[in-house]
Amino acid sequence: MVVGTVTLVALLAPLLAPHDPIRQAVFERLRPPGSAAHVLGTDHFGRDLLSRLMYGARVSLLVGVLSVAVASGAGTAAGVLAGYFGGILDQTLMAVVEVLMAFPLILLAIAIVAVLGGGVMNVMLAVGIANVPAFARLARAEIVRHRGREYVEAARALGAGHRRLITRHLLPNSWSPIIVLMTLKVSTAILTEATLSYLGLGISPPTPTWGTIIADGTRFLPRAPWISLAPGLAIVATVLGFNLLGDGIRDALDPRLRGEYASAAGD
């Protein structure tokens, strides 16, 4: 419900937002929440905070979903190749992954953004590249776990080539944990994007993002705490929603957990 609500608000922001999110009204600056015109109040430029939150959700979800798509695509491909073929290819790819994992995710994202520059696409690529190692290691572990099983050997004995073994047998049986990780990593990507924007390294103003709104509000915390509080609560709710969604998908895709629930229900 949380993820669905945030997604709908992001998609329908042009229709739902009561004001232009970048329109300044100096005479209405720092208005507290509660008025009919500005439900969540205004910021130091008189911009409607509710409208900015709605448009900020679009940026957060866009970066979160697309960066995870980049990370899962590149990471899964690298992990599958490393786990299936092994040898020098495995050692080389995993060495690159280990080098990337030597850096904390946020520091790696900051370094990539510093090289590529700001903007939605660059932030998306930075967050995606920073999350590649997690998918590569998981995909490799799953492929190694399945590649020696009987159904794979049977398919190989029937003449299946590398491509068919990977796409028709190994990947379909390895998707469950990867899908769960994708869901959980969306929340990590949203947090990373907010951190980059808060530090001034993400999407440039006047585009509203949750991290930028929090950064703008820190200067006015004693006078107008609602500026930073509202986007902070939005981040907490969205991240919690994606984490709960990931837990639910994990429980639904894991037959062992389904068996435990069925046993508990029978008891």
Side-chain angles (χ1 to χ4, degrees):
M1 290 178 63
V2 173
V3 172
T5 300
V6 173
T7 303
L8 284 177
V9 169
L11 292 175
L12 301 177
L15 300 176
L16 297 178
H19 300 278
D20 185 342
I22 62 175
R23 184 184 68 85
Q24 300 182 12
V26 180
F27 294 105
E28 297 181 358
R29 63 192 303 268
L30 301 180
R31 292 287 179 89
S35 66
H38 304 287
V39 176
L40 294 182
T42 61
D43 64 5
H44 56 297
F45 287 123
R47 296 173 295 193
D48 182 66
L49 196 55
L50 177 60
S51 301
R52 291 179 63 77
L53 285 181
M54 289 181 175
Y55 277 85
R58 309 185 85 186
V59 176
S60 294
L61 289 183
L62 179 66
V63 172
V65 172
L66 293 184
S67 63
V68 168
V70 171
S72 61
T76 301
V80 168
L81 294 176
Y84 181 80
F85 291 104
I88 298 298
L89 181 61
D90 182 17
Q91 296 175 9
T92 302
L93 290 175
M94 287 301 102
V96 174
V97 168
E98 289 174 0
V99 169
L100 293 176
M101 291 190 68
F103 299 92
L105 187 146
I106 186 61
L107 291 182
L108 183 59
I110 289 174
I112 296 173
V113 169
V115 173
L116 298 178
V120 176
M121 295 303 297
N122 289 342
V123 170
M124 178 198 72
L125 288 175
V127 177
I129 294 172
N131 282 293
V132 164
F135 288 95
R137 288 174 63 89
L138 178 61
R140 178 186 178 278
E142 288 296 310
I143 296 299
V144 170
R145 186 164 68 92
H146 286 281
R147 71 181 180 185
R149 294 194 171 180
E150 289 79 2
Y151 69 90
V152 177
E153 296 297 333
R156 184 179 288 112
L158 291 173
H162 297 317
R163 180 177 178 182
R164 184 177 181 85
L165 285 174
I166 292 173
T167 58
R168 297 294 298 274
H169 299 281
L170 290 173
L171 271 179
N173 288 285
S174 304
W175 271 127
S176 295
I178 295 175
I179 292 174
V180 173
L181 183 61
M182 289 174 64
T183 308
L184 296 175
K185 280 296 181 181
V186 171
S187 61
T188 303
I190 291 174
L191 279 175
T192 306
E193 182 277 325
T195 303
L196 292 174
S197 297
Y198 178 84
L199 296 174
L201 300 173
I203 291 88
S204 302
T207 303
T209 67
W210 289 343
T212 303
I213 299 172
I214 294 176
D216 291 340
T218 54
R219 294 179 294 168
F220 303 94
L221 281 177
R223 298 174 54 193
W226 59 84
I227 299 177
S228 295
L229 182 62
L233 292 176
I235 293 174
V236 170
T238 304
V239 169
L240 179 61
F242 274 104
N243 285 335
L244 294 174
L245 178 62
D247 290 341
I249 292 176
R250 180 200 61 192
D251 297 345
L253 295 178
D254 193 332
R256 293 171 299 178
L257 295 177
R258 289 202 300 269
E260 290 179 4
Y261 293 150
S263 176
D267 295 341

